[in-house]
Every structure is written in C-alpha cells, then in structure tokens.
Amino acid sequence: MSIKVVIKRNTYFDSVSLMSLSTKANQIEGVEQAIIGMGTEMNKGVIRNVGLMTSEVEEATAGDLMIIVKTANAEQTESAYLAVEELLTNKNSAQAKSDIKYATIDSAVQGIPDANFAVISVNGAFAVREARKALENNLHVMLFSDNVSVEDEVELKTLAHEKGLLMMGPDCGTAIIGNTGLCFANAVRKGSIGIVAASGTGSQEVSVRIHDFGGGITQLIGTGGRDLSKEVGGIMMLDGIKALDADEATKVIVLVSKPPEASVEKKVLAQIKECSKPVVVYFIGGNEEAVVAAGGQFAKTSKEAALKAVLLAGIDEASINKRALNLPLIEEVRAKLSPEQKYIRGLFCGGTLCDESMYLAMEKFYNVYSNIQKNPDFLLKDISVSQEHTFIDFGDDDFTNGKPHPMIDPSSRIERFLQEAKDPSVGVIVMDFVLGFGSHEDPVGVMLPAIMEAKQLAEKEGRHLEIIGYVLGTDLDTPNIDEQVKKLVDAGVTHASSSTNAGLLAREMVLKGENHE
Amino acid sequence: MIHAISGDGYFLQQIGASGFTGMVHSVFTHALNIQSEANGEIFTLATKAMDNAPNTLIIDLDTLGNLHIHQHDRVSVQHDQLLIEDKVQIAMQTATRWQCQLPIFPTDQTCLKTNVVTVKQFINLHGKSGGMKRSNSSISEFEAETSRLLQQRTSLLREELMNQRFDHFQSYAIDLVGLGPGLTPSGDDFLVGLFAIIHLENSPCYIYKQLCESAINMMKPLTNAISYTTLKKAANGQVRESICSLIYSILYGTEADSIQALRKVLAIGSSSGTDIALGLISGLEANIKLGG
C-alpha cells in the first residue's frame, strides 16, 4: 500500500466541485481510495478511523484542502496524484465558464451570444412572458411549463412560425435536438429518422424502439400535447414536418400523437402529401385509410411505427430482433389465473404508454375504464377506485396537481399498486418504468418492496398475481437497463420488451375463451 | 459600475458605517467571500442566481468568473460604493434591505404534520445522498465511515431533543461540526437546519435557543470560516431566504407549496440542501412529538 498526501493551505472549492472531483479521483485507474476534503478535526478523525492518518494530515487545519491518494505502490500513487492534480487544475479553469447561472433570458443572451435555443421551465404564470422574450431574441424554445392558456399558446406558436423558429410546447416534456436529450428523453444513437411528436412518452418509446431495432434519430421535435387541437391547429407539427423534410440528415419522418382533431388531421395529412420523404404515422387509435390515402405509412402500435421507420431507413430486416410475443407464457399464465381473476389494471407513468395498452385492451374488451378515456361513459367516476379493466395515467393533472410527475416521484403509484394487488378480481397488473434524462434514478428499485409485498399477499391468499413490467430505455441510458430488468425478473415480474408487447401480454393473459368482458 | 440589488441589513449597516475594510477570502463562480479586517467576520457578494442570506449582498451580475478577482484582494468602501482593488465598483444606493424573519410556530399544527411527512418522503426520493442521506451506490471506506458517524451523532442529538434533555445537547452538536468533506460539511449543514427550527418562537424546542447561542463559540475552530459564519448566523436564528420560505411553507402552506420551497433548498450546494432539510425535519419532528 502507498499513500500520498498533499495539503493545500487556505484553498476553497465549492461543495459541488469537491464532490465531483472526489468521484472522478476515485475512478482513476489504480486508485484504491481518494479523499478530497476540508481538513477539519472531525474529517481527520474519520481518516484516522480508516487507517490513512499521516503526519501531513495531522497538521491540516479546517481551512485547508486535503488530497489523499491511496494505491497499491508508490509508482501508481504518483501517477494517480498527477491525474488528481490535473482534475483540480481543469476544475479551476473550467469553473468560471461552465457553472454560470443566468437570472434572465436577456442576460443569458448577452452572456452566450451564440446560443440559439432556450429550454424554459418556470411557473405557468411567467412562462408566456419568458417564452415570448426568448422568441424575440431569435431563440428556438422548448417550453416545459404547463398551465398556459390556449390563446397564449397560439400567439407564441404564431410568432415562432413567422420567425422560422421552433416553439415546442407548452407542456412539452421530451425532445432530442442535435443528439442532446432535453427534459425527459433517452440516450439513442444518431441516425436518419426524425420524429415530430405531440406525445412525450410516446415519442420516447418510438425513439427507444428505433434504437433497439438498429436505427437512430436525427431530431425529436416535441410539439406539446395540445398542438393538434382545433384551437392550435397543429402549427408546430406542420412546421416540424417541414423542418425535417428540409433536413438533409433525415431520411424518414415519424409522427406520434393521440388522434388529432378532424380538421387538424386534414392539414397534417395534406402536409404529408407535400412531403418528399416517407412519413410513418402513429396516431393512437387513428384512421389507417386516411393516412394511406395521403401517402403515409400507418402504424397501429409504437413498435410497428419504429419497425416501419427503420426498414424505410434501410436497416436490413434480417438483422432486426423483432422481440416476438411470448405465446407459451401467455398460456401458462392463463392456466394459473382463477376464473374470478378477469381484469387488467394498468398503472402508468407515461400517458401514451397507458393509451397504447388501453387501446389494445379495448380491441377485445368493452369495459375498459380510465382517467384519460375519451369516451365519457368509461371515464372513471372516482379516480381512486378502479372499475373492471382500468388503466391509470399517473402523469395526468388529477394526480400531478402540486406534485412532481410520477417519473420523478413514484409514491402515488406505489400506494395504488398495493391497493390493486389486494383485489381478487385482478389477474394482471401492468406497469411502465421509464429510464433516461430527467427520470428517477432507480424507478424499479423504489417499486420493488411493494412488488414483493403484493406477491407475498397473493401467495398467502392462494392467488397467482401476474405483474408485467416494461422498462423504457436503451443500453446507453442511466440507470443501466439490464440491471433494472434483472431486478424485475428476480422479483418474479414478467418483463415485456416493449410498450406494445406489455399491452398485448396483459390483454391476452386475462382473455377467458369467448367471454370477453 | 455594478449595482447592488439587495443586502442583508447587518451587512448594509457595516458598509454604511465608514471604514469597512477587508480582504477577499475566497472566490467562486457565484459568490465571493470577504473577511472583515475589523473582526474577521465573513461577508459574501453573490450573483443574481443566489438568494438573500445573512451577511450577503446580491449584486446585478450573472457570474463573478470574469472579474479577475483573487484571494487577498483588498476591499474598501468609498462614497457609498464597495470597491475591490480597482477591479470592481459596486453602487450601494440601489440595494433593498433584506432581513431574515423566521415565522412563529403555529398553534394549529395540521399543516405542519401533513407537510413534514410529504417533505420527508420527497427528500428520501430526491435528496442528494453522500451526506446525511445514505448512498445506495458503493462508496469508499472514508465515505462509509463519515456516513456512519453522521447517522450516529445526529441520532444522539435527535434523542436529546425528543426527550427534552439538555445535558449533552451542546456536546452532541459540537461532535457534528466539521464532519463531512465539503466546503460546508454535512454536520454543519444539518445543524443549520436544526438551529433554524430551534429559533421558532412558541415552539417546544425554543428552550434550546440559549444553548445554540452559547455553543457557537466552541464550534469556531472546528470548521472553516465560511461554514462557521453560516452556522453562527443560524445559531442566532438567521438563515438564507430559501430556508425561511421552506420553514414557512411547512408550517402554514400546502403540500405543493412545501415541495416547491423544498426544491429550492435541495438545490443548495451538492448535498448541503438535503442535509439542511434533514436538520429542519429533525427539529420539526421533535416539536411535533413534544406537542407544540
């Protein structure tokens, strides 16, 4: 063992820098342990407890920065210490540039004259003012904030349209611009497929499936959920299609949305006709004939949309693992469920993932309830109580009012999951776990205790409870998707390989012969 | 010429009194600290990105990174302007006065009880580990030992409060000072949160107020000057604006208000915000247990 200690007198780094330096220093090759911290008596006591005390450490005072590097031998220690020194030097020179927080759009524009893009996430009361300011400064805008009136949305989008800028949002939670994920997005490879989406998790799912099938993304342009309403008229989706049509790197365009308002759908289809590139249209519950008549490629599911897009982009079909549905497993689960266990309960963080599973269930069952059902007859009367087949979007305003999105704060869903697991009429519970930028650091991990409790309870009561989990993410995402999937499988959860497969598995597992209720 | 936006009343008073001089103690991107020549006290100049705080002056800049200010640069006051060598002139007339005003502990604790649970749950999910909050990932021996001592010593302090004992309160608090590798060690941050709660008038823990104020002198040699200043101010019921807002929201606001205010506190430093918030929660839980 070899230890090197350097004490830097009266040297101060802010806590964030110290933490990041310490993390990086511990990752240097050969380093068994690196400590970078202030030389307080208490810290020296800890160093003594872990057997690293030296005379230099003993002399450090509370205002001194201690750097302690432990490796296997003196040679390694010296080179590791040099690497730590380099980190410190780089931190010092980079700090001034990288950590600047601008208090206003105007000062940010002055400070970064080359900037051309603003991501805005402020209280809805101020969002319009800030977005307008950004557009007036010729910045493309992604507006994460919601609680913006339709009138203001139209005004902002009209201004952006006139200036040739993107106005993504309000309530736009997902985009990938220039290979950089913004807000909630996944790490996907660069490629030749562009996406315009009025749906956050829907576009995340399509981008992730494209990546899984070997394709890649040029840009993912979010529009905000209201863009295809009659009032807004699809301003951003139409401009998004034009932008991708003009983009040399984009060879194929995919549109993702819930079904647009009829007059807006006409405009979008007319734009598709004008488009020089193949366009795949995934409008959940949409009309195939109209899309085909406009020259578009219709996709009924997110998986189909991704598959069509990668094939159009020239990916060799033989190289694609299409992740077929596990039919023997369906039979196996059907045999385990009792006649009383007739219902699916879908508990989703992602609105479009919820929609997709729900629409797949609606193809077979008439009694499908939800807090986001379009048909008022099947809207849940009380969102805290499930009826028959129920699909809950925990990202809907009813659940997020004053609370973080369930992708960040899973507590509401955990509570509801345990409630559903106790219901003897439930055969299958299906859930999504979203990875990537902006999401929870361990979405499966926080759910595990509840999953185990539910499984034990069902077992005690002599029931088989089938839990299906879908992890939305790629091999490039953090946390590691394989580890997340392994946690699920180890807990006895059936892993679905896509949102589409999750919906199909749930639906097929509870089918009782001809009795489709 | 740079304009001052707002300033802590005490700092404004010091500048207003003729003859304030000092040296630059330390420089960061968003804050620089000045050590007063008169009494060694630390004062802070902070950019617009920061909130109001004791001994702090907020100035109309986004970054201090391009001012070329260095440790030991001389600071003085002339004609209502704060000067750093000949590099920076700050006009003081534009500064509005800010004063930390902690809320009074409520007689009706309905909001408090609900909000404490919500806030604690949010910290468990989203707080930054590495300080008071245990890390789930693999950590070094040093981090593990620091974490163990933080848990052990904060537990002792909490028990002292929960049982309304006084004998070891000061020694348990002192045992936390300087514990943690950051610029403001986690133990110090935890105490900042706890001391703020102890200073809530009409609260059961208010009886510890004198002990906080008298323990602070023993803490001075145990931590660096920057952290000590924050600790000393907290021991006298003075904390930054975002902490005041969080306390107010928990005592009187909705769950949504509390989470919104909590987010601002969690954004302080690396794990500092989380450590401060956990100190607040410990104090509030003691108040609830002792019956308000």
Side-chain angles (χ1 to χ4, degrees):
Chain A
M1 177 183 87
S2 161
I3 300 173
K4 184 176 173 83
V5 175
V6 173
I7 305 297
K8 293 185 178 280
R9 302 284 167 204
N10 292 318
T11 301
Y12 301 97
F13 279 87
D14 64 78
S15 295
V16 176
S17 301
L18 278 181
M19 182 64 81
S20 110
L21 282 168
S22 193
T23 304
K24 285 176 183 163
N26 276 291
Q27 290 165 344
I28 293 168
E29 200 175 338
V31 169
E32 288 174 20
Q33 189 162 194
I35 299 166
I36 303 176
M38 304 307 288
T40 63
E41 286 306 314
M42 291 299 165
N43 287 341
K44 283 155 52 174
V46 176
I47 289 164
R48 190 176 296 110
N49 291 357
V50 298
L52 294 176
M53 181 51 86
T54 68
S55 56
E56 297 101 317
V57 172
E58 203 68 78
E59 283 172 22
T61 67
D64 300 337
L65 184 71
M66 304 183 293
I67 303 168
I68 303 164
V69 179
K70 177 188 166 191
T71 69
N73 57 56
E75 195 183 333
Q76 272 191 329
T77 303
E78 207 48 52
S79 66
Y81 177 73
L82 287 174
V84 172
E85 262 297 344
E86 200 177 332
L87 284 175
L88 283 168
T89 312
N90 290 345
K91 191 77 208 167
N92 252 337
S93 58
Q95 208 171 339
K97 272 198 166 11
S98 64
D99 298 343
I100 301 173
K101 294 179 193 167
Y102 293 99
T104 66
I105 297 263
D106 289 332
S107 59
V109 168
Q110 277 173 9
I112 322 169
D114 296 337
N116 67 350
F117 200 103
V119 179
I120 299 172
S121 174
V122 294
N123 183 300
F126 312 107
V128 177
R129 185 189 66 192
E130 295 305 316
R132 191 182 298 116
K133 217 182 277 180
L135 291 169
E136 283 164 355
N137 277 291
N138 295 313
L139 299 171
H140 297 287
V141 173
M142 179 181 189
L143 184 55
F144 186 74
S145 319
D146 58 2
N147 295 318
V148 170
S149 73
V150 175
E151 293 76 14
D152 284 331
E153 179 172 352
V154 172
E155 188 212 322
L156 290 172
K157 284 183 166 168
T158 305
L159 175 62
H161 175 76
E162 285 165 0
K163 293 176 78 81
L165 296 166
L166 298 175
M167 177 63 226
M168 302 195 284
D171 201 14
C172 176
T174 298
I176 300 173
I177 303 294
N179 219 33
T180 301
L182 300 169
C183 300
F184 297 114
N186 298 89
V188 293
R189 79 173 64 79
K190 210 171 174 175
S192 60
I193 300 165
I195 300 172
V196 193
S199 140
T201 47
S203 61
Q204 280 185 266
E205 173 63 6
V206 171
S207 70
V208 160
R209 291 277 64 76
I210 286 170
H211 178 92
D212 185 40
F213 292 151
I217 303 299
T218 52
Q219 314 286 350
L220 191 168
I221 299 169
T223 66
R226 256 183 344 209
D227 190 69
L228 297 178
S229 66
K230 187 178 179 181
E231 295 83 355
V232 182
I235 300 172
M236 187 64 249
M237 183 159 275
L238 297 172
D239 280 354
I241 296 169
K242 285 180 201 165
L244 291 177
D245 197 17
D247 174 40
E248 270 185 37
T250 301
K251 306 294 177 216
V252 181
I253 299 170
V254 183
L255 308 182
V256 183
S257 172
K258 290 174 187 177
E261 195 278 332
S263 65
V264 182
E265 186 171 23
K266 271 188 185 165
K267 285 192 216 172
V268 173
L269 294 175
Q271 189 67 53
I272 291 171
K273 252 188 180 150
E274 296 284 304
C275 197
S276 64
K277 295 169 182 176
V279 181
V280 179
V281 181
Y282 171 46
F283 288 164
I284 304 166
N287 179 337
E288 181 168 5
E289 270 176 45
V291 171
V292 172
Q297 301 260 352
F298 178 80
K300 199 179 84 168
T301 64
S302 54
K303 188 175 168 180
E304 190 185 358
L307 189 58
K308 283 191 169 175
V310 294
L311 293 175
L312 286 163
I315 303 283
D316 176 14
E317 188 164 3
S319 72
I320 298 171
N321 177 350
K322 294 181 187 168
R323 316 231 180 249
L325 210 56
N326 187 341
L327 298 174
L329 177 71
I330 291 169
E331 291 305 325
E332 202 180 302
V333 173
R334 277 183 189 171
K336 285 180 185 172
L337 296 177
S338 70
E340 293 73 38
Q341 291 181 286
K342 293 186 288 191
Y343 298 124
I344 306 167
R345 297 290 152 82
L347 308 176
F348 290 90
C349 294
T352 309
L353 306 184
C354 180
D355 257 327
E356 178 160 30
S357 279
M358 182 170 77
Y359 273 87
L360 288 168
M362 282 158 65
E363 289 178 353
K364 299 278 182 173
F365 309 111
Y366 73 92
N367 47 349
V368 178
Y369 293 82
S370 174
N371 61 327
I372 53 168
Q373 259 280 17
K374 279 190 137 182
N375 182 342
D377 295 341
F378 292 98
L379 260 177
L380 285 172
K381 290 176 185 66
D382 175 353
I383 58 166
S384 64
V385 181
S386 294
Q387 292 172 255
E388 301 178 339
H389 298 287
T390 293
F391 292 81
I392 302 281
D393 169 14
F394 284 91
D396 195 55
D397 290 351
D398 291 332
F399 288 95
T400 58
N401 219 332
K403 282 185 175 173
H405 193 279
M407 282 202 263
I408 304 167
D409 180 357
S411 49
S412 312
R413 183 165 76 156
I414 292 172
E415 210 175 299
R416 184 60 170 263
F417 168 80
L418 288 168
Q419 181 183 315
E420 302 299 350
K422 288 172 187 160
D423 184 341
S425 71
V426 171
V428 174
I429 298 179
V430 57
M431 290 185 287
D432 58 344
F433 299 92
V434 182
L435 310 184
F437 309 115
S439 293
H440 193 275
E441 61 188 15
D442 185 10
V444 172
V446 291
M447 201 76 203
L448 277 184
I451 289 172
M452 287 165 179
E453 189 183 328
K455 284 268 182 194
Q456 278 170 359
L457 179 84
E459 205 174 320
K460 216 186 269 179
E461 293 176 355
R463 287 183 289 128
H464 170 76
L465 177 65
E466 184 64 21
I467 303 170
I468 298 170
Y470 166 54
V471 182
L472 190 163
T474 72
D475 54 329
L476 306 176
D477 270 325
T478 305
N480 180 287
I481 189 168
D482 293 335
E483 284 175 16
Q484 292 286 301
V485 170
K486 186 177 183 300
K487 281 182 187 178
L488 280 179
V489 173
D490 288 351
V493 173
T494 295
H495 168 241
S497 58
S498 64
S499 164
T500 307
N501 282 16
L504 289 171
L505 283 171
R507 178 182 90 181
E508 297 303 315
M509 283 172 177
V510 295
L511 268 177
K512 311 278 182 194
E514 294 305 297
N515 182 14
H516 294 178
E517 24 165 351
Chain B
M1 174 73 70
I2 300 162
H3 291 278
I5 297 171
S6 59
D8 166 60
Y10 172 66
F11 191 9
L12 293 181
Q13 190 189 350
Q14 293 290 305
I15 295 168
S18 57
F20 177 86
T21 55
M23 302 273 259
V24 172
H25 171 274
S26 44
V27 187
F28 306 100
T29 309
H30 288 282
L32 73 83
N33 295 305
I34 299 162
Q35 192 149 23
S36 158
E37 270 178 358
N39 58 7
E41 198 168 359
I42 296 280
F43 295 92
T44 303
L45 298 185
T47 67
K48 291 183 287 187
M50 310 287 275
D51 53 328
N52 283 304
N55 283 20
T56 298
L57 184 73
I58 306 290
I59 58 176
D60 192 11
L61 280 181
D62 289 305
T63 175
L64 304 171
N66 44 21
L67 298 178
H68 310 294
I69 295 168
H70 303 295
Q71 214 172 15
H72 308 307
D73 279 354
R74 190 165 168 68
V75 181
S76 58
V77 175
Q78 280 177 27
H79 312 303
D80 223 3
Q81 288 177 8
L82 187 73
L83 312 175
I84 302 177
E85 299 283 353
D86 56 353
K87 301 172 183 177
V88 175
Q89 294 172 294
I90 299 166
M92 297 302 303
Q93 307 93 318
T94 46
T96 56
R97 188 174 175 279
W98 174 82
Q99 193 67 50
C100 169
Q101 191 67 57
L102 286 170
I104 291 172
F105 195 75
T107 43
D108 177 357
Q109 292 175 32
T110 316
C111 286
L112 166 64
K113 285 174 180 168
T114 308
N115 292 339
V116 160
V117 173
T118 304
V119 164
K120 201 173 172 179
Q121 195 175 48
F122 194 91
I123 296 169
N124 283 339
L125 286 167
H126 306 293
K128 188 99 171 55
S129 53
M132 291 298 310
K133 188 184 169 201
R134 284 175 199 267
S135 178
N136 293 325
S137 50
S138 60
I139 51 175
S140 69
E141 266 183 283
F142 174 79
E143 288 166 322
E145 179 63 2
T146 304
S147 176
R148 185 186 71 80
L149 290 172
L150 283 167
Q151 298 300 328
Q152 180 196 71
R153 292 171 183 184
T154 50
S155 294
L156 289 169
L157 191 57
R158 269 198 302 264
E159 275 173 40
E160 199 75 351
L161 286 171
M162 294 279 188
N163 296 299
Q164 270 191 322
R165 291 193 300 247
F166 299 96
D167 303 357
H168 301 291
F169 175 83
Q170 286 189 328
S171 61
Y172 289 158
I174 287 166
D175 279 349
L176 280 166
V177 179
L179 185 54
L183 179 69
T184 54
S186 293
D188 299 19
D189 290 328
F190 178 86
L191 290 174
V192 165
L194 181 64
F195 287 175
I197 298 301
I198 283 170
H199 279 79
L200 299 179
E201 268 182 67
N202 298 346
S203 70
C205 289
Y206 197 64
I207 47 176
Y208 289 91
K209 180 172 168 283
Q210 297 299 114
L211 291 178
C212 291
E213 289 166 12
S214 61
I216 195 67
N217 288 333
M218 294 181 261
M219 295 176 177
K220 191 171 184 175
L222 300 176
T223 191
N224 66 71
I226 301 167
S227 190
Y228 173 71
T229 302
T230 310
L231 204 48
K232 184 181 173 187
K233 290 287 169 179
N236 289 284
Q238 297 279 305
V239 287
R240 61 201 283 180
E241 195 172 18
S242 53
I243 300 173
C244 282
S245 301
L246 175 58
I247 296 169
Y248 185 87
S249 299
I250 294 173
L251 296 181
Y252 295 102
T254 62
E255 286 180 82
D257 296 337
S258 303
I259 295 299
Q260 202 175 348
L262 174 64
R263 285 170 180 280
K264 289 187 180 162
V265 171
L266 293 184
I268 298 170
S270 176
S271 65
S272 291
T274 302
D275 300 334
I276 291 166
L278 288 168
L280 292 178
I281 293 296
S282 292
L284 290 169
E285 284 180 332
N287 276 328
I288 290 168
K289 182 182 181 270
L290 298 172

